[in-house]
Amino acid sequence: MRKFEEVTTHTEEIFKGKIIDLNVDTVTLPDGNTSKRELIKHPGAVAVIAVKEDGKIIFVEQYRKALGKSTLEIPAGKLEKGEEPLITARRELEEETGYTSDNLELINSFYTSPGFADELVHIYFTDDLRKLEENVEGDEDEFVELAELDIEEAVQLEKEQRIHDAKTSYALLYLKLRGIK
Amino acid sequence: MRKFEEVTTHTEEIFKGKIIDLNVDTVTLPDGNTSKRELIKHPGAVAVIAVKEDGKIIFVEQYRKALGKSTLEIPAGKLEKGEEPLITARRELEEETGYTSDNLELINSFYTSPGFADELVHIYFTDDLRKLEENVEGDEDEFVELAELDIEEAVQLEKEQRIHDAKTSYALLYLKLRGIK
């Protein structure tokens, strides 16, 4: 048995949605007691740190209903069932920004909210972009606008909480460490 | 109206739990069409990047039911209703690690999963720790074990996916940039 493993004795399926499912598991704890765990299932996601030849970083602005406001984030999207993360990353980059890349480097994968969700985000980096000649249609219920910022502008917007999510804050530290000017 | 704002026309309350609530909102999109948004409400959380005098970083190992495995993360916990994040941060540090600090610096706050959840994590830093003389009791259904690692050990464990969550990967970049050896 793995350390501190919690053994499921019952799973209650609460909700099956378009994007997330919710189960409540009854578990036996390491000390023999019982507890409940509220668990979100998510297909996983990708995000792309994309830097143009002129050093500008590509962001997308979009309204986030969960937050009740619009944010600037690095391009991202959820995995389609059975889709390779690299393919999703290129598709989302194309749909959201009008750029593409044959050279997307996987730099990290992390869980966003391990306390209650299994969402795993794969983070790619590229500084090898080319502009598409034609726009690629994205999701019909997604409205995004492109923003190209240098690192100082992005850090300022983070202080103003216009950049305000984990993957994008991670991206800014990554770019600073990489020495992007 | 804010850019790309989605106007809620109906809220269906699916679930109210101990930690999360789930609503499905029907929204009017900027183009006038209708869509559904699956939205998790979460009280928010804190996390602490804690560095000892000898340069070791403090991690906690715990089983994460959502992931089906145990992970090494920086100390963290969810906000209690009405509690100041700084108070939560000190309490979680004390309960999970046996250390405390009068000098916790707020370095960032970010949403973990803006696509579907409002969980906001406040990240604190301290290198001013003192060991408590007596253990502080934590949540009765939480089993954690302390690990003290230097940055190279932590980066290696991240490569092995034992460190595998957004806030802790963010913490490692933060510490590298800060020049922690």
Side-chain angles (χ1 to χ4, degrees):
Chain A
M1 189 168 120
R2 280 158 296 183
K3 195 185 280 180
F4 305 137
E5 184 164 351
E6 301 175 356
V7 179
T8 306
T9 54
H10 179 71
T11 295
E12 186 182 359
E13 295 186 353
I14 306 285
F15 177 74
K16 281 192 177 300
K18 278 188 307 178
I19 295 172
I20 56 175
D21 298 339
L22 168 61
N23 293 340
V24 176
D25 278 13
T26 306
V27 297
T28 304
L29 300 171
D31 64 3
N33 287 326
T34 292
S35 190
K36 300 253 189 189
R37 299 295 182 209
E38 299 161 7
L39 304 170
I40 297 293
K41 304 275 175 195
H42 184 283
V46 297
V48 182
I49 304 172
V51 181
K52 290 172 56 202
E53 219 169 341
D54 64 5
K56 297 269 189 185
I57 309 153
I58 298 180
F59 297 86
V60 293
E61 180 164 12
Q62 66 192 303
Y63 188 78
R64 290 301 205 176
K65 188 69 184 75
L67 315 183
K69 64 181 179 183
S70 66
T71 59
L72 281 160
E73 300 173 28
I74 56 171
K78 66 177 195 300
L79 291 173
E80 301 295 331
K81 205 172 173 162
E83 194 176 39
E84 277 292 311
L86 176 63
I87 304 298
T88 316
R90 188 156 48 206
R91 180 171 51 74
E92 291 290 343
L93 181 66
E94 293 176 355
E95 288 178 2
E96 293 195 345
T97 74
Y99 289 92
T100 192
S101 175
D102 297 321
N103 192 2
L104 290 167
E105 178 195 355
L106 180 66
I107 58 161
N108 206 342
S109 300
F110 45 65
Y111 293 101
T112 53
S113 301
F116 67 92
D118 68 352
E119 183 192 28
L120 180 65
V121 179
H122 305 280
I123 312 277
Y124 291 85
F125 171 82
T126 183
D127 56 5
D128 181 11
L129 293 163
R130 65 172 195 279
K131 191 100 184 108
L132 293 171
E133 290 178 18
E134 287 181 30
N135 281 346
V136 180
E137 283 290 314
D139 293 339
E140 62 178 17
D141 65 351
E142 206 174 55
F143 297 82
V144 302
E145 197 169 87
L146 207 61
E148 302 184 356
L149 306 171
D150 62 32
I151 185 86
E152 288 79 13
E153 291 170 317
V155 167
Q156 181 56 36
L157 288 168
E158 190 184 35
K159 285 186 186 139
E160 296 167 15
Q161 304 192 329
R162 297 271 298 111
I163 286 176
H164 209 190
D165 76 291
K167 66 182 176 309
T168 307
S169 287
Y170 179 88
L172 295 187
L173 291 189
Y174 176 82
L175 290 169
K176 278 194 211 171
L177 260 179
R178 203 168 165 128
I180 300 280
K181 290 286 175 345
Chain B
M1 191 168 122
R2 279 157 295 183
K3 196 185 281 181
F4 305 136
E5 183 164 351
E6 301 174 356
V7 179
T8 306
T9 55
H10 180 72
T11 295
E12 186 183 357
E13 295 187 352
I14 306 285
F15 177 75
K16 283 194 175 296
K18 275 189 308 178
I19 295 171
I20 56 175
D21 298 339
L22 169 61
N23 292 342
V24 176
D25 278 13
T26 305
V27 297
T28 303
L29 299 172
D31 64 2
N33 286 324
T34 293
S35 191
K36 301 253 188 188
R37 299 294 181 209
E38 299 160 8
L39 304 170
I40 297 294
K41 304 273 174 195
H42 185 283
V46 297
V48 183
I49 305 173
V51 181
K52 290 173 56 201
E53 217 168 345
D54 63 6
K56 297 271 189 183
I57 308 151
I58 297 180
F59 296 86
V60 293
E61 181 165 11
Q62 65 193 303
Y63 188 77
R64 290 301 204 176
K65 188 69 184 74
L67 315 183
K69 64 181 180 182
S70 65
T71 59
L72 281 158
E73 300 172 29
I74 57 172
K78 67 176 193 300
L79 291 174
E80 301 296 331
K81 204 173 174 159
E83 194 176 40
E84 277 294 309
L86 176 64
I87 304 298
T88 317
R90 187 156 48 205
R91 181 171 51 74
E92 290 291 341
L93 181 66
E94 293 177 354
E95 288 177 4
E96 292 195 345
T97 75
Y99 288 92
T100 191
S101 175
D102 297 320
N103 192 0
L104 290 167
E105 177 195 357
L106 180 65
I107 58 162
N108 207 341
S109 300
F110 46 65
Y111 294 101
T112 53
S113 300
F116 68 92
D118 68 352
E119 184 191 28
L120 180 64
V121 179
H122 305 279
I123 311 278
Y124 292 84
F125 171 82
T126 184
D127 57 5
D128 180 13
L129 292 164
R130 65 172 196 279
K131 191 100 184 105
L132 293 171
E133 288 180 16
E134 285 183 31
N135 282 344
V136 180
E137 283 291 315
D139 293 339
E140 62 179 15
D141 64 349
E142 204 174 57
F143 296 82
V144 303
E145 195 169 89
L146 207 61
E148 301 183 357
L149 305 171
D150 62 33
I151 186 83
E152 289 80 11
E153 290 171 317
V155 168
Q156 180 56 37
L157 287 168
E158 190 184 34
K159 286 187 184 137
E160 296 169 14
Q161 303 191 330
R162 297 271 299 112
I163 286 175
H164 209 191
D165 76 293
K167 68 183 175 302
T168 308
S169 287
Y170 179 88
L172 295 187
L173 291 189
Y174 177 83
L175 290 169
K176 277 194 211 172
L177 260 177
R178 203 169 165 126
I180 300 280
K181 290 285 175 343

Short mmCIF file of all heavy atoms in Angstrom, two decimals, chain A residues 47-51 57 74 103-110 123-127 151 155 158 166-181, chain B residues 108 158 169-177:
data_model
loop_
_atom_site.label_atom_id
_atom_site.label_comp_id
_atom_site.label_asym_id
_atom_site.label_seq_id
_atom_site.Cartn_x
_atom_site.Cartn_y
_atom_site.Cartn_z
N ALA A 47 -0.91 24.37 -22.26
CA ALA A 47 -0.69 25.81 -22.34
C ALA A 47 0.63 26.03 -23.07
O ALA A 47 1.52 25.16 -23.03
CB ALA A 47 -0.65 26.43 -20.96
N VAL A 48 0.74 27.16 -23.76
CA VAL A 48 1.92 27.41 -24.59
C VAL A 48 2.54 28.77 -24.24
O VAL A 48 1.88 29.80 -24.33
CB VAL A 48 1.56 27.40 -26.09
CG1 VAL A 48 2.82 27.62 -26.95
CG2 VAL A 48 0.87 26.09 -26.49
N ILE A 49 3.81 28.73 -23.85
CA ILE A 49 4.60 29.95 -23.67
C ILE A 49 5.21 30.25 -25.04
O ILE A 49 6.09 29.52 -25.50
CB ILE A 49 5.71 29.75 -22.62
CG1 ILE A 49 5.12 29.26 -21.29
CG2 ILE A 49 6.51 31.04 -22.42
CD1 ILE A 49 6.17 28.85 -20.25
N ALA A 50 4.69 31.29 -25.69
CA ALA A 50 5.06 31.55 -27.08
C ALA A 50 5.73 32.93 -27.18
O ALA A 50 5.10 33.94 -26.83
CB ALA A 50 3.83 31.49 -27.98
N VAL A 51 6.98 32.94 -27.62
CA VAL A 51 7.75 34.18 -27.70
C VAL A 51 8.09 34.46 -29.17
O VAL A 51 8.65 33.61 -29.86
CB VAL A 51 9.05 34.08 -26.88
CG1 VAL A 51 9.83 35.39 -26.95
CG2 VAL A 51 8.73 33.72 -25.44
N ILE A 57 5.83 38.38 -25.93
CA ILE A 57 5.18 37.15 -25.47
C ILE A 57 3.70 37.23 -25.86
O ILE A 57 3.09 38.29 -25.75
CB ILE A 57 5.29 37.00 -23.94
CG1 ILE A 57 6.75 37.19 -23.49
CG2 ILE A 57 4.75 35.66 -23.48
CD1 ILE A 57 6.86 37.71 -22.06
N ILE A 74 -1.59 32.94 -20.95
CA ILE A 74 -0.93 32.33 -22.10
C ILE A 74 -1.96 31.44 -22.81
O ILE A 74 -2.91 30.96 -22.19
CB ILE A 74 0.35 31.56 -21.69
CG1 ILE A 74 0.07 30.48 -20.64
CG2 ILE A 74 1.41 32.53 -21.19
CD1 ILE A 74 1.27 29.56 -20.37
N ASN A 103 7.81 23.49 -33.49
CA ASN A 103 8.88 23.29 -32.52
C ASN A 103 8.37 23.67 -31.12
O ASN A 103 8.75 24.70 -30.58
CB ASN A 103 10.06 24.18 -32.95
CG ASN A 103 11.33 23.86 -32.19
OD1 ASN A 103 11.35 22.94 -31.36
ND2 ASN A 103 12.37 24.62 -32.46
N LEU A 104 7.48 22.83 -30.60
CA LEU A 104 6.93 23.05 -29.26
C LEU A 104 7.64 22.12 -28.29
O LEU A 104 7.60 20.90 -28.44
CB LEU A 104 5.43 22.77 -29.25
CG LEU A 104 4.55 23.78 -30.00
CD1 LEU A 104 3.14 23.23 -30.20
CD2 LEU A 104 4.49 25.10 -29.24
N GLU A 105 8.29 22.70 -27.29
CA GLU A 105 9.08 21.92 -26.33
C GLU A 105 8.28 21.78 -25.03
O GLU A 105 7.89 22.77 -24.42
CB GLU A 105 10.40 22.68 -26.06
CG GLU A 105 11.31 22.04 -25.04
CD GLU A 105 12.40 23.00 -24.53
OE1 GLU A 105 12.51 24.15 -25.04
OE2 GLU A 105 13.12 22.60 -23.61
N LEU A 106 8.05 20.53 -24.61
CA LEU A 106 7.36 20.29 -23.33
C LEU A 106 8.32 20.62 -22.20
O LEU A 106 9.37 20.00 -22.07
CB LEU A 106 6.92 18.82 -23.23
CG LEU A 106 6.19 18.43 -21.94
CD1 LEU A 106 4.84 19.13 -21.83
CD2 LEU A 106 6.01 16.92 -21.86
N ILE A 107 7.96 21.62 -21.37
CA ILE A 107 8.89 21.99 -20.30
C ILE A 107 8.44 21.53 -18.91
O ILE A 107 9.25 21.39 -18.01
CB ILE A 107 9.16 23.52 -20.27
CG1 ILE A 107 7.86 24.30 -20.08
CG2 ILE A 107 9.89 23.97 -21.53
CD1 ILE A 107 8.09 25.71 -19.60
N ASN A 108 7.15 21.28 -18.72
CA ASN A 108 6.69 20.79 -17.42
C ASN A 108 5.24 20.33 -17.57
O ASN A 108 4.54 20.72 -18.52
CB ASN A 108 6.79 21.89 -16.35
CG ASN A 108 6.96 21.34 -14.93
OD1 ASN A 108 6.68 20.18 -14.67
ND2 ASN A 108 7.41 22.19 -14.02
N SER A 109 4.81 19.50 -16.63
CA SER A 109 3.39 19.11 -16.51
C SER A 109 3.05 19.16 -15.04
O SER A 109 3.80 18.60 -14.23
CB SER A 109 3.16 17.68 -17.02
OG SER A 109 3.53 17.55 -18.37
N PHE A 110 1.99 19.85 -14.67
CA PHE A 110 1.64 19.88 -13.24
C PHE A 110 0.13 19.88 -13.04
O PHE A 110 -0.64 20.31 -13.89
CB PHE A 110 2.29 21.04 -12.50
CG PHE A 110 2.24 22.39 -13.16
CD1 PHE A 110 1.03 23.03 -13.37
CD2 PHE A 110 3.42 23.04 -13.53
CE1 PHE A 110 0.99 24.29 -13.95
CE2 PHE A 110 3.40 24.31 -14.12
CZ PHE A 110 2.18 24.93 -14.32
N ILE A 123 2.81 22.16 -20.09
CA ILE A 123 3.27 23.48 -20.49
C ILE A 123 4.35 23.34 -21.59
O ILE A 123 5.35 22.65 -21.39
CB ILE A 123 3.89 24.25 -19.30
CG1 ILE A 123 2.99 24.19 -18.07
CG2 ILE A 123 4.24 25.68 -19.70
CD1 ILE A 123 1.88 25.19 -18.05
N TYR A 124 4.11 23.99 -22.70
CA TYR A 124 5.06 23.98 -23.82
C TYR A 124 5.70 25.36 -23.97
O TYR A 124 5.09 26.37 -23.63
CB TYR A 124 4.33 23.61 -25.12
CG TYR A 124 3.87 22.19 -25.15
CD1 TYR A 124 2.65 21.82 -24.59
CD2 TYR A 124 4.66 21.19 -25.72
CE1 TYR A 124 2.23 20.50 -24.58
CE2 TYR A 124 4.24 19.86 -25.73
CZ TYR A 124 3.03 19.53 -25.16
OH TYR A 124 2.61 18.21 -25.15
N PHE A 125 6.92 25.36 -24.53
CA PHE A 125 7.61 26.60 -24.85
C PHE A 125 7.95 26.60 -26.34
O PHE A 125 8.35 25.58 -26.88
CB PHE A 125 8.91 26.75 -24.04
CG PHE A 125 9.76 27.90 -24.50
CD1 PHE A 125 9.50 29.19 -24.06
CD2 PHE A 125 10.81 27.71 -25.40
CE1 PHE A 125 10.26 30.26 -24.50
CE2 PHE A 125 11.57 28.78 -25.84
CZ PHE A 125 11.30 30.05 -25.39
N THR A 126 7.81 27.76 -26.97
CA THR A 126 8.36 27.92 -28.32
C THR A 126 8.79 29.36 -28.56
O THR A 126 8.13 30.29 -28.08
CB THR A 126 7.35 27.50 -29.41
OG1 THR A 126 8.02 27.62 -30.69
CG2 THR A 126 6.10 28.38 -29.43
N ASP A 127 9.92 29.52 -29.23
CA ASP A 127 10.27 30.85 -29.76
C ASP A 127 10.46 30.74 -31.27
O ASP A 127 11.15 31.53 -31.89
CB ASP A 127 11.52 31.42 -29.08
CG ASP A 127 12.72 30.52 -29.19
OD1 ASP A 127 12.64 29.47 -29.87
OD2 ASP A 127 13.76 30.84 -28.59
N ILE A 151 8.21 41.31 -21.41
CA ILE A 151 8.16 40.73 -20.06
C ILE A 151 7.87 41.80 -19.00
O ILE A 151 7.11 41.55 -18.05
CB ILE A 151 9.45 39.92 -19.76
CG1 ILE A 151 9.38 39.20 -18.41
CG2 ILE A 151 10.70 40.77 -19.82
CD1 ILE A 151 8.74 37.87 -18.44
N VAL A 155 4.79 41.63 -16.39
CA VAL A 155 4.99 41.63 -14.93
C VAL A 155 4.18 42.75 -14.29
O VAL A 155 3.59 42.58 -13.22
CB VAL A 155 6.50 41.75 -14.61
CG1 VAL A 155 6.72 42.07 -13.14
CG2 VAL A 155 7.22 40.45 -14.98
N GLU A 158 0.68 41.65 -14.11
CA GLU A 158 0.51 40.68 -13.02
C GLU A 158 0.32 41.42 -11.69
O GLU A 158 -0.52 41.05 -10.87
CB GLU A 158 1.73 39.76 -12.97
CG GLU A 158 1.54 38.57 -12.04
CD GLU A 158 2.80 37.73 -11.94
OE1 GLU A 158 3.91 38.29 -11.99
OE2 GLU A 158 2.66 36.50 -11.79
N ALA A 166 -2.29 30.59 -12.35
CA ALA A 166 -1.08 29.83 -12.01
C ALA A 166 -0.17 29.57 -13.22
O ALA A 166 1.03 29.83 -13.16
CB ALA A 166 -1.48 28.49 -11.37
N LYS A 167 -0.73 29.09 -14.33
CA LYS A 167 0.13 28.73 -15.46
C LYS A 167 0.82 29.95 -16.05
O LYS A 167 1.97 29.88 -16.51
CB LYS A 167 -0.65 27.97 -16.55
CG LYS A 167 -1.71 28.81 -17.23
CD LYS A 167 -2.49 28.01 -18.26
CE LYS A 167 -3.61 28.87 -18.85
NZ LYS A 167 -4.49 29.53 -17.84
N THR A 168 0.12 31.11 -16.04
CA THR A 168 0.71 32.32 -16.62
C THR A 168 1.75 32.92 -15.67
O THR A 168 2.81 33.38 -16.13
CB THR A 168 -0.40 33.33 -16.99
OG1 THR A 168 -1.37 32.66 -17.80
CG2 THR A 168 0.16 34.51 -17.77
N SER A 169 1.48 32.89 -14.37
CA SER A 169 2.50 33.35 -13.41
C SER A 169 3.74 32.44 -13.49
O SER A 169 4.88 32.91 -13.41
CB SER A 169 1.94 33.35 -11.99
OG SER A 169 1.02 34.42 -11.84
N TYR A 170 3.50 31.13 -13.64
CA TYR A 170 4.62 30.19 -13.84
C TYR A 170 5.39 30.57 -15.10
O TYR A 170 6.63 30.62 -15.10
CB TYR A 170 4.06 28.77 -13.96
CG TYR A 170 5.12 27.72 -14.20
CD1 TYR A 170 5.77 27.10 -13.15
CD2 TYR A 170 5.48 27.35 -15.51
CE1 TYR A 170 6.76 26.15 -13.36
CE2 TYR A 170 6.47 26.40 -15.73
CZ TYR A 170 7.10 25.81 -14.65
OH TYR A 170 8.08 24.87 -14.88
N ALA A 171 4.67 30.88 -16.17
CA ALA A 171 5.32 31.23 -17.44
C ALA A 171 6.21 32.46 -17.29
O ALA A 171 7.32 32.51 -17.85
CB ALA A 171 4.26 31.48 -18.52
N LEU A 172 5.74 33.45 -16.53
CA LEU A 172 6.55 34.67 -16.37
C LEU A 172 7.85 34.38 -15.62
O LEU A 172 8.92 34.87 -16.01
CB LEU A 172 5.75 35.76 -15.65
CG LEU A 172 4.52 36.29 -16.41
CD1 LEU A 172 3.91 37.48 -15.68
CD2 LEU A 172 4.85 36.66 -17.85
N LEU A 173 7.78 33.55 -14.57
CA LEU A 173 9.02 33.18 -13.87
C LEU A 173 9.94 32.38 -14.81
O LEU A 173 11.16 32.58 -14.83
CB LEU A 173 8.72 32.34 -12.62
CG LEU A 173 8.01 33.03 -11.46
CD1 LEU A 173 8.00 32.09 -10.24
CD2 LEU A 173 8.70 34.34 -11.08
N TYR A 174 9.35 31.47 -15.57
CA TYR A 174 10.14 30.65 -16.52
C TYR A 174 10.89 31.56 -17.50
O TYR A 174 12.08 31.36 -17.77
CB TYR A 174 9.21 29.69 -17.26
CG TYR A 174 9.92 28.88 -18.31
CD1 TYR A 174 10.62 27.73 -17.98
CD2 TYR A 174 9.92 29.29 -19.65
CE1 TYR A 174 11.30 27.00 -18.94
CE2 TYR A 174 10.59 28.56 -20.62
CZ TYR A 174 11.28 27.41 -20.26
OH TYR A 174 11.95 26.70 -21.21
N LEU A 175 10.19 32.55 -18.03
CA LEU A 175 10.81 33.44 -19.03
C LEU A 175 11.89 34.32 -18.39
O LEU A 175 12.93 34.57 -18.99
CB LEU A 175 9.74 34.30 -19.70
CG LEU A 175 8.81 33.51 -20.63
CD1 LEU A 175 7.62 34.37 -21.05
CD2 LEU A 175 9.57 33.01 -21.86
N LYS A 176 11.63 34.78 -17.16
CA LYS A 176 12.67 35.56 -16.46
C LYS A 176 13.93 34.72 -16.26
O LYS A 176 15.05 35.18 -16.50
CB LYS A 176 12.15 35.99 -15.08
CG LYS A 176 11.28 37.21 -15.11
CD LYS A 176 11.15 37.72 -13.67
CE LYS A 176 9.83 38.38 -13.42
NZ LYS A 176 9.61 38.69 -11.99
N LEU A 177 13.74 33.46 -15.82
CA LEU A 177 14.89 32.58 -15.59
C LEU A 177 15.62 32.28 -16.89
O LEU A 177 16.84 32.13 -16.91
CB LEU A 177 14.42 31.24 -15.00
CG LEU A 177 14.55 31.05 -13.51
CD1 LEU A 177 14.00 29.68 -13.14
CD2 LEU A 177 16.00 31.17 -13.04
N ARG A 178 14.88 32.16 -17.97
CA ARG A 178 15.48 31.88 -19.28
C ARG A 178 16.19 33.11 -19.83
O ARG A 178 16.90 33.03 -20.84
CB ARG A 178 14.35 31.42 -20.23
CG ARG A 178 14.86 30.60 -21.38
CD ARG A 178 13.72 29.92 -22.13
NE ARG A 178 14.21 29.46 -23.40
CZ ARG A 178 14.07 28.23 -23.86
NH1 ARG A 178 13.45 27.32 -23.14
NH2 ARG A 178 14.55 27.89 -25.04
N GLY A 179 15.93 34.26 -19.20
CA GLY A 179 16.64 35.48 -19.61
C GLY A 179 15.99 36.20 -20.79
O GLY A 179 16.66 36.93 -21.50
N ILE A 180 14.65 35.97 -20.98
CA ILE A 180 13.94 36.70 -22.03
C ILE A 180 13.88 38.17 -21.65
O ILE A 180 13.50 38.51 -20.53
CB ILE A 180 12.50 36.15 -22.20
CG1 ILE A 180 12.52 34.68 -22.57
CG2 ILE A 180 11.70 36.99 -23.20
CD1 ILE A 180 12.80 34.35 -24.01
N LYS A 181 14.26 39.04 -22.58
CA LYS A 181 14.26 40.49 -22.28
C LYS A 181 13.01 41.15 -22.85
O LYS A 181 12.60 40.84 -23.94
CB LYS A 181 15.50 41.16 -22.88
CG LYS A 181 16.78 40.79 -22.19
CD LYS A 181 16.91 41.48 -20.84
CE LYS A 181 18.13 41.06 -20.03
NZ LYS A 181 18.82 39.90 -20.40
N ASN B 108 2.58 36.44 -4.23
CA ASN B 108 1.70 36.39 -5.40
C ASN B 108 0.37 35.75 -4.98
O ASN B 108 0.31 35.06 -3.96
CB ASN B 108 2.34 35.58 -6.53
CG ASN B 108 1.86 35.99 -7.91
OD1 ASN B 108 0.80 36.62 -8.06
ND2 ASN B 108 2.60 35.64 -8.95
N GLU B 158 11.03 16.85 -9.05
CA GLU B 158 10.06 17.37 -10.02
C GLU B 158 10.20 16.61 -11.34
O GLU B 158 9.20 16.24 -11.97
CB GLU B 158 10.29 18.86 -10.23
CG GLU B 158 9.18 19.54 -11.03
CD GLU B 158 9.49 21.01 -11.29
OE1 GLU B 158 10.67 21.37 -11.47
OE2 GLU B 158 8.53 21.81 -11.33
N SER B 169 5.70 23.81 -8.34
CA SER B 169 6.57 24.10 -9.49
C SER B 169 6.85 25.61 -9.56
O SER B 169 7.98 26.03 -9.86
CB SER B 169 5.92 23.61 -10.79
OG SER B 169 5.98 22.20 -10.84
N TYR B 170 5.82 26.42 -9.28
CA TYR B 170 6.01 27.87 -9.21
C TYR B 170 7.04 28.21 -8.14
O TYR B 170 7.95 29.02 -8.36
CB TYR B 170 4.67 28.55 -8.90
CG TYR B 170 4.76 30.05 -8.77
CD1 TYR B 170 4.63 30.88 -9.89
CD2 TYR B 170 4.98 30.66 -7.54
CE1 TYR B 170 4.72 32.25 -9.78
CE2 TYR B 170 5.07 32.03 -7.41
CZ TYR B 170 4.94 32.83 -8.54
OH TYR B 170 5.04 34.18 -8.42
N ALA B 171 6.92 27.57 -6.98
CA ALA B 171 7.84 27.84 -5.86
C ALA B 171 9.29 27.53 -6.25
O ALA B 171 10.21 28.28 -5.89
CB ALA B 171 7.44 27.01 -4.64
N LEU B 172 9.50 26.45 -6.98
CA LEU B 172 10.88 26.08 -7.36
C LEU B 172 11.47 27.13 -8.30
O LEU B 172 12.64 27.52 -8.15
CB LEU B 172 10.91 24.69 -8.00
CG LEU B 172 10.51 23.53 -7.07
CD1 LEU B 172 10.77 22.20 -7.78
CD2 LEU B 172 11.25 23.57 -5.75
N LEU B 173 10.68 27.62 -9.27
CA LEU B 173 11.18 28.69 -10.15
C LEU B 173 11.46 29.96 -9.33
O LEU B 173 12.48 30.64 -9.54
CB LEU B 173 10.19 29.00 -11.26
CG LEU B 173 9.96 27.95 -12.34
CD1 LEU B 173 9.11 28.53 -13.47
CD2 LEU B 173 11.26 27.41 -12.90
N TYR B 174 10.55 30.28 -8.40
CA TYR B 174 10.72 31.47 -7.56
C TYR B 174 12.04 31.39 -6.78
O TYR B 174 12.79 32.36 -6.71
CB TYR B 174 9.53 31.59 -6.60
CG TYR B 174 9.66 32.74 -5.64
CD1 TYR B 174 9.30 34.04 -6.01
CD2 TYR B 174 10.18 32.54 -4.35
CE1 TYR B 174 9.45 35.10 -5.13
CE2 TYR B 174 10.33 33.60 -3.47
CZ TYR B 174 9.97 34.88 -3.86
OH TYR B 174 10.13 35.92 -2.99
N LEU B 175 12.30 30.23 -6.21
CA LEU B 175 13.52 30.07 -5.40
C LEU B 175 14.77 30.11 -6.27
O LEU B 175 15.79 30.70 -5.87
CB LEU B 175 13.45 28.76 -4.61
CG LEU B 175 12.41 28.76 -3.48
CD1 LEU B 175 12.21 27.35 -2.93
CD2 LEU B 175 12.82 29.72 -2.37
N LYS B 176 14.69 29.53 -7.47
CA LYS B 176 15.85 29.62 -8.39
C LYS B 176 16.14 31.07 -8.73
O LYS B 176 17.28 31.52 -8.71
CB LYS B 176 15.54 28.86 -9.68
CG LYS B 176 15.77 27.36 -9.59
CD LYS B 176 15.76 26.81 -11.02
CE LYS B 176 15.23 25.42 -11.09
NZ LYS B 176 15.05 24.95 -12.47
N LEU B 177 15.07 31.83 -9.05
CA LEU B 177 15.24 33.25 -9.41
C LEU B 177 15.78 34.05 -8.23
O LEU B 177 16.55 34.99 -8.41
CB LEU B 177 13.90 33.86 -9.82
CG LEU B 177 13.63 33.99 -11.30
CD1 LEU B 177 12.23 34.55 -11.50
CD2 LEU B 177 14.65 34.88 -12.01
#
